[in-house]
Amino acid sequence: MSPDALIAHLVGASALILVAAHAGGGLARRLGQPYIVGQLAAGIALGPSLLGSLAPRAYDALFPAAIGPALTGFSQFSLVVFLFAVGYELDLKILGDRARVSVTVALASFAVPMAVGCGAALLFRNTVRDLGGGWEPSTATVLFAGIALSITAVPVLTAIVRENGLTRTVPGVVAVSAAGVLDAVCWTVLAGAMIDSGAGEAALDWPWRAALAVGFVTVMALAARPVLRRLLWRTRLEPSLRLALLIGFALGSAWVTHWLGLHVIFGALLAGLVTPREESGTLDPDLLRPLHEISSLLLPFFFVLSGQSVALNSMTGTGWTVLLVVTVLAVTTKVGSGLVAARLGGLDRHDARTVGVLLSARGLTELIALNAGLEAGLVSAPLYTVLVFMALTTTLLTQPLLALTRHLAARDRPAVPVVPGTTAVQPYAAAEGGAEGPGRGE
């Protein structure tokens, strides 16, 4: 294929990807689901399982193998920008007065699904092996199975909390703050699993790569943060120049972690974590707004790449059985552990139930981890397909389960007597609707 033809194919494919993904996201939002659900569904529809099966010639014409590296590049760039923004926004000060219960919920909703996931991978290793793809149990692959059940998608959870008017409620604050702690733990464990897997460009044994990774994190925390603070606070750079500088910083950090075998996602998150906020402690809107706009525009490339790795036609009876079991385990372990931990932390049963349901949403964060595991060889293609559909299903179930918890709370709520000439006051009104308006839903 000539360079001109390659560029033409890339431009055409990009147009289709952007329109289809955002149309799917808009439709999902109209149906009361997070934006990511529609984007992922559009990505799967444009992949080999649907478009490739129904119209193979059109699929080959739209997505020739030659444009694969360019699409992957757009995908990785969007991930770096998105996760840099996630790291920049992460603030554990949100724990506040609920620090103890939030940490308890985070640790419980990590430990229980992690133990169940690892145990299931070992106990049913023959069944998972029967799915195909050459999956074999090892320390790294078993850890990854646990992580797949443990992750909660903070961006999706935040959007769901906002859209349901739970932002200023106890379960909303506890769930969001616990999810931040939980994902920090999950990313750390995933980093260890990927180092142990031997992935990456560095021709070193994993102990050396682990030592270099610790050294890099130390340098970023102790040296990069003060340098950035001085540069951003004292020089008063133009917003556009500041944005370009920090995205370049995130890309450089992502390249280092990729070289060490930790995938670009870890470098991007680390860059966001060490980037200082404003002197007042607030987030810089001139930085955050364009980061969200860039990642929102380009993330459809990631969803399409994720969808192209989904192989529906490879799903056998064993695959659908594994999907059912994994989905049940994913929901019950998250909801159950979050509910019990919240109850032990002093929340009533309705608030505790809401916390557990919210922590069950996986969404984009789960997809990012799954793609990293697929690239590192920690998960086979058939198992990847199962886990992608598990992530999609658990995200879809969050809103109906929240409606169910609200119904149970209303049913158990004592009736409020109405005095003639007055209107009954409804408790927990903030949790009944979307008074805060729709969020990004990613």
Side-chain angles (χ1 to χ4, degrees):
M1 183 181 295
S2 67
D4 288 342
L6 180 64
I7 293 173
H9 274 87
L10 179 61
V11 170
S14 299
L16 178 61
I17 289 169
L18 291 174
V19 172
H22 286 291
L27 178 61
R29 183 169 286 169
R30 284 179 175 273
L31 296 174
Q33 291 293 339
Y35 205 77
I36 177 187
V37 171
Q39 289 189 311
L40 178 58
I44 293 173
L46 292 176
S49 296
L50 291 182
L51 181 60
S53 297
L54 298 175
R57 290 185 179 179
Y59 177 77
D60 292 336
L62 288 169
F63 301 106
I67 69 170
L71 294 178
T72 302
F74 280 128
S75 169
Q76 296 298 297
F77 182 83
S78 69
L79 281 186
V80 169
V81 175
F82 173 78
L83 289 167
F84 174 69
V86 170
Y88 179 62
E89 290 182 281
L90 185 61
D91 184 12
L92 295 183
K93 292 179 182 177
I94 192 177
L95 294 175
D97 297 334
R98 298 284 176 179
R100 184 177 63 83
V101 63
S102 297
V103 172
T104 301
V105 169
L107 294 179
S109 58
F110 167 76
V112 175
M114 185 75 184
V116 171
C118 293
L122 290 173
L123 186 61
F124 301 108
R125 57 185 179 275
N126 292 331
T127 303
V128 178
R129 191 184 290 117
D130 289 343
L131 287 174
W135 185 89
E136 290 294 337
S138 66
T139 301
T141 57
V142 170
L143 280 176
F144 186 81
I147 293 166
L149 260 64
S150 303
I151 285 180
T152 293
V154 176
V156 173
L157 185 151
T158 303
I160 292 173
V161 165
R162 184 168 53 239
E163 291 171 4
N164 283 272
L166 296 169
T167 305
R168 296 183 179 89
T169 65
V170 170
V173 172
V174 170
V176 171
S177 53
V181 177
L182 169 65
D183 273 11
V185 176
C186 286
W187 289 125
T188 303
V189 176
L190 179 59
M194 293 189 70
I195 281 187
D196 187 51
S197 72
E201 298 178 7
L204 299 169
D205 293 334
W206 76 264
W208 283 104
R209 287 188 286 117
L212 288 173
V214 171
F216 177 65
V217 171
T218 303
V219 169
M220 290 284 281
L222 299 182
R225 189 177 183 86
V227 170
L228 287 173
R229 184 181 293 115
R230 179 173 300 181
L231 182 64
L232 299 178
W233 290 0
R234 295 187 181 181
T235 59
R236 298 299 175 185
L237 296 173
E238 290 291 326
S240 58
L241 182 57
R242 174 185 293 196
L243 176 67
L245 173 70
L246 290 175
I247 289 180
F249 171 63
L251 290 169
S253 177
W255 176 81
V256 172
T257 55
H258 173 73
W259 182 79
L260 291 172
L262 293 179
H263 202 274
V264 298
I265 57 180
F266 299 102
L269 273 170
L270 180 59
L273 287 169
V274 303
T275 298
R277 299 184 170 210
E278 295 291 273
E279 293 181 86
S280 60
T282 60
L283 296 169
D284 179 5
D286 291 328
L287 172 62
L288 206 55
R289 190 182 306 110
L291 287 176
H292 284 162
E293 290 172 350
I294 294 170
S295 60
S296 178
L297 175 66
L298 295 180
L299 273 173
F301 290 96
F302 170 74
F303 290 116
V304 167
L305 264 294
S306 300
Q308 290 186 336
S309 298
V310 172
L312 273 175
N313 48 12
S314 69
M315 288 287 283
T316 61
T318 301
W320 292 112
T321 302
V322 172
L323 172 60
L324 176 62
V325 172
V326 167
T327 303
V328 170
L329 290 177
V331 174
T332 55
T333 56
K334 274 290 186 181
V335 175
S337 59
L339 188 158
V340 172
R343 286 288 285 154
L344 292 175
L347 273 65
D348 66 43
R349 67 179 183 277
H350 300 305
D351 285 348
R353 194 184 294 128
T354 301
V355 169
V357 168
L358 288 170
L359 290 174
S360 184
R362 284 165 175 86
L364 180 55
T365 309
E366 176 83 8
L367 291 179
I368 293 171
L370 292 179
N371 275 270
L374 182 64
E375 292 177 17
L378 298 179
V379 60
S380 65
L383 184 55
Y384 170 85
T385 299
V386 168
L387 294 176
V388 165
F389 277 101
M390 178 273 289
L392 184 59
T393 304
T394 54
T395 306
L396 281 168
L397 285 174
T398 302
Q399 199 65 44
L401 288 175
L402 275 179
L404 177 61
T405 61
R406 200 153 42 230
H407 171 73
L408 293 174
R411 187 191 64 183
D412 295 344
R413 187 182 300 151
V416 179
V418 181
V419 179
T422 65
T423 303
V425 177
Q426 294 295 330
Y428 314 114
E432 293 293 338
E436 307 247 341
R440 291 191 308 136
E442 292 165 358

